Amino acid sequence: MTVECINKPIFDKLEQCRRLAHVLGLTKTMLTHAGNGEWEQVAEMELLRRDDLMLCFSQSTPPGDTELVAEAMATLLHLNEELMAKLKVARSAVMAQGLEFAKNRTAVSSYQAVGASS
C-alpha cells in the first residue's frame, strides 16, 4: 500500500472540513454585505458558496465527523435564515421605492398634461 492510499481518507476529511469552514466564512461575509446593502457582493459570493456546498456534500461524511458536520449545517441554516430575513426587508424596501417612483411619474405626467393643455 502506498503513502498516497493511506493519506487519501485523511486528506478527503480535511478537505471537507476546510470546505465547510469556507462556506461558513462566506456566509458570514455575505451577511455582513447584506447588512450594508451590498447585494451585488452577496450575489457574487453566493455563486462561490454554491460550488463549495455542492463539493462538500458530493462525498459522504466520514462516520466520526457526523456530529461536526451536523453542527456546521445547523450554523449554516441559521445564517441562511438571517440572510433571507435581510433579503426580505431589502426586497420590501425596493418594492416600496418602485411604487413611490411610479406614483411620482404618474403625478409628473398628469402635471405635464395639465400644463400642455393650458
Side-chain angles (χ1 to χ4, degrees), residues 35-112:
N36 295 331
E38 300 164 343
W39 294 103
E40 285 184 39
Q41 288 87 344
V42 173
E44 289 170 7
M45 294 183 84
E46 173 59 23
L47 296 175
L48 298 172
R49 187 178 80 140
R50 188 177 302 158
D51 290 342
D52 261 354
L53 272 173
M54 287 189 342
L55 288 170
C56 276
F57 298 105
S58 63
Q59 308 168 7
S60 62
T61 303
D65 290 342
T66 53
E67 187 174 326
L68 175 68
V69 171
E71 287 179 27
M73 286 304 300
T75 302
L76 185 60
L77 289 172
H78 175 73
L79 293 172
N80 274 342
E81 287 173 7
E82 286 185 46
L83 191 57
M84 294 307 289
K86 288 184 183 295
L87 178 60
K88 186 176 180 180
V89 169
R91 187 181 70 183
S92 294
V94 167
M95 290 181 74
Q97 288 174 346
L99 289 173
E100 186 66 26
F101 177 76
K103 185 173 103 175
N104 290 342
R105 188 175 53 188
T106 301
V108 167
S109 293
S110 296
Y111 180 75
Q112 288 173 339

Side-chain angles (χ1 to χ4, degrees), residues 1-10:
M1 197 174 241
T2 66
V3 174
E4 292 86 19
C5 291
I6 295 170
N7 290 334
K8 179 131 173 60
I10 294 170

Side-chain angles (χ1 to χ4, degrees), residues 9-29:
I10 294 170
F11 176 78
D12 289 345
K13 180 178 178 177
L14 290 172
E15 190 65 16
Q16 187 175 32
C17 288
R18 184 203 60 79
R19 278 197 187 106
L20 270 173
H22 186 248
V23 166
L24 285 169
L26 281 174
T27 306
K28 287 178 182 178
T29 303

